Amino acid sequence: MTGAGTGANLLALRSHNAALVLDLLRTAGSDGISRLELAERTGLTPQAVSKITARLREDGLAAEAGRRASTGGKPRTVLRLVPEAAYAVGVHLDRDEVRAVLVDLRGTVVGERRAALDLGAGAGAVLTAVTEAVRATVADAVRVPVADEAQATVTDAVRVPVTDAVRVPVADEAQATVTDAVRATARDAVRVPVADEARATVTDAVRATARDAVHVTATEALPAGPLLARAGSLLGVGVALPGPLDHVRGVLHRVTGFPEWDGFPLREALAERLGVPVVVDKDTNAAALGLAAGGEGGSFAYLHLGTGLGAGLVIGGSVHRGARTGAGEFGHQVIQLDGPPCTCGDRGCVEALCLGAVARGDVEEAARVLGSGAANLVGLLDIDVVLLGGRTVAATPEAFVRGVGAVLGARARRTGEDAVPVRVAPGGGRAVAVGAAQLVLGPVFGRGDG
């Protein structure tokens, strides 16, 4: 998703404009982009761009990348994004495994952890497993001890809507700034004045995009391991898991196969343990978001076949979650009346039929069933491409692409339309976790579906 959009020279839109500039710096890569090009592509005045880039450089988010010859006058200074200025953690919480990745501002994975997990082991055990995976991932990636007198900045480079600072007690003067990439995680914080000497620099991309900044001690933020004291800032943690759930409130519903999670406030519980902002979404939505952020354009369906079956839908470049995060419950469309029972309580669901075929070793039948469900999506949403992912697909990718493609091809011959292409989604086993990190990174670059 590389569109810059159009800027507006209004005080109220400063953070929006900074996000436009940051996104162009990101998409320019290591080659960088000049201030004149930034002005041309955002619609901002050269003066506005100069002010924004000066603040971004001051806060360590942008740096010079050299000079480029111009058509007249002196060579233009080229700017680039500083990827290591900030980081996000993405967590894929599956039914039997937890995977955590640490990514920089470009979305590059710089750390990863995997561990076995039983989603039915109870909230305490699951929260502990996720917490330890996050802490270990950060600690493994950057082994830097936090000195008692050193100020470690945690999550400061995006701040999705911040206007006031929020402060909780700090110890040993090792303060860490937690930016609110998702303000709801700090709703119980108490506002008090921030001392001038302890005030952290806030970029435009943060001020107008984060409602409150939460200051906690370094040890409170990640007590089990070193913080990114020298490498940058931890913006937050995105967590993706099977649905259904409420993305807006971060509350789980009756997770398929694990109804005991119904009503559990996962976002709030993890934010309290980790001390950083947390965003929660369905695994398929997160993967679809990651694919879109990585350059997959148009409208597409990401079908994830692993321990369950679901779909992430991107329509017109944005993730479609529905009014209650209910979109994409693809695996529970009934395609065989009075068919085999499904863990959701219904019968004849695509998930039950597909996983049943896999269990019997009949991959061709599993692919045919998956194709039937995909054909329904194509007919309903008129999508451009179907992307396949998940560990079950990864075991025999060619068979699934061939089987799903055959069903879609047959549909196209009946309708006279071009067949919708089928591909294996890039990213492999990391796709969901990397997408979960994009739930946190998206707002930094003005992407509103994070």
Side-chain angles (χ1 to χ4, degrees):
M1 300 175 69
T2 60
T6 301
N9 296 314
L10 300 173
L11 181 63
L13 294 181
R14 275 169 152 193
S15 61
H16 168 70
N17 292 336
L20 295 181
V21 171
L22 276 169
D23 196 40
L24 286 172
L25 290 172
R26 179 184 68 87
T27 56
S30 58
D31 292 338
I33 185 171
S34 71
R35 292 178 180 83
L36 180 59
E37 290 173 294
L38 288 170
E40 291 173 345
R41 295 183 62 179
T42 60
L44 296 168
T45 65
Q47 293 83 358
V49 168
S50 292
K51 289 180 180 180
I52 290 172
T53 54
R55 282 190 292 269
L56 294 178
R57 289 184 63 192
E58 182 180 327
D59 290 340
L61 296 171
E64 289 190 5
R67 295 182 180 276
R68 184 179 298 163
S70 64
T71 55
K74 63 180 182 180
R76 298 173 185 169
T77 299
V78 177
L79 301 175
R80 65 174 179 85
L81 180 71
V82 179
E84 64 272 18
Y87 297 83
V89 173
V91 176
H92 180 192
L93 181 55
D94 208 344
R95 293 171 175 85
D96 60 358
E97 179 185 80
V98 59
R99 182 195 296 257
V101 298
L102 182 72
V103 305
D104 63 19
L105 285 177
R106 283 213 182 105
T108 302
V109 175
V110 297
E112 180 175 10
R113 269 293 181 108
R114 294 175 65 187
L117 173 84
D118 178 4
L119 193 57
V126 171
L127 291 175
T128 296
V130 173
T131 300
E132 291 308 316
V134 171
R135 290 169 173 165
T137 303
V138 175
D140 287 349
V142 183
R143 298 185 178 279
V144 182
V146 180
D148 288 342
E149 299 279 319
Q151 210 176 49
T153 302
V154 180
T155 84
D156 183 38
V158 251
R159 330 179 190 267
V160 182
V162 181
T163 49
D164 299 315
V166 181
R167 193 173 275 275
V168 296
V170 294
D172 299 329
E173 299 184 10
Q175 295 174 346
T177 304
V178 177
T179 64
D180 213 344
V182 191
R183 169 63 190 100
T185 59
R187 59 187 176 186
D188 295 328
V190 181
R191 297 183 186 179
V192 297
V194 180
D196 290 339
E197 63 270 19
R199 191 183 305 273
T201 301
V202 180
T203 68
D204 248 5
V206 177
R207 276 194 188 112
T209 28
R211 284 172 262 245
D212 298 308
V214 184
H215 298 265
V216 299
T217 67
T219 53
E220 285 174 331
L222 287 173
L227 295 175
L228 302 177
R230 277 183 285 185
S233 304
L234 182 62
L235 303 175
V237 177
V239 180
L241 70 159
L245 55 81
D246 185 333
H247 164 66
V248 175
R249 296 190 302 131
V251 174
L252 305 187
H253 294 320
R254 294 175 64 86
V255 176
T256 305
F258 301 91
E260 63 272 20
W261 283 100
D262 190 23
F264 186 81
L266 181 62
R267 183 183 66 194
E268 181 181 318
L270 282 175
E272 182 177 350
R273 286 190 175 221
L274 294 171
V276 297
V278 174
V279 196
V280 173
D281 205 348
K282 292 199 296 190
D283 48 9
T284 50
N285 288 343
L289 176 63
L291 291 168
E296 189 67 48
S299 299
F300 64 86
Y302 167 75
L303 306 185
H304 186 92
L305 180 60
T307 57
L309 174 61
L313 306 174
V314 171
I315 308 297
S318 297
V319 175
H320 178 68
R321 295 183 175 90
R324 293 166 294 277
T325 325
E329 288 298 320
F330 169 82
H332 302 293
Q333 55 175 310
V334 175
I335 62 172
Q336 181 181 326
L337 295 178
D338 301 321
C342 180
T343 53
C344 72
D346 214 331
R347 303 183 71 90
C349 294
V350 176
E351 178 179 299
L353 293 167
C354 195
L355 291 180
V358 171
R360 296 192 303 272
D362 192 347
V363 175
E364 289 187 1
E365 173 64 9
R368 189 182 70 83
V369 171
L370 186 59
S372 296
N376 290 341
L377 273 184
V378 170
L380 184 65
L381 300 176
D382 194 22
I383 53 180
D384 300 314
V385 63
V386 172
L387 301 174
L388 306 180
R391 70 176 74 167
T392 303
V393 169
T396 52
E398 296 85 1
F400 277 100
V401 169
R402 184 173 58 251
V404 174
V407 177
L408 295 185
R411 178 187 181 279
R413 289 190 292 274
R414 291 195 303 273
T415 62
E417 301 169 348
D418 292 335
V420 172
V422 181
R423 303 196 309 265
V424 173
R430 289 176 170 175
V432 173
V434 170
Q438 288 295 331
L439 293 167
V440 176
L441 290 181
V444 185
F445 303 106
R447 299 193 297 269
D449 54 2

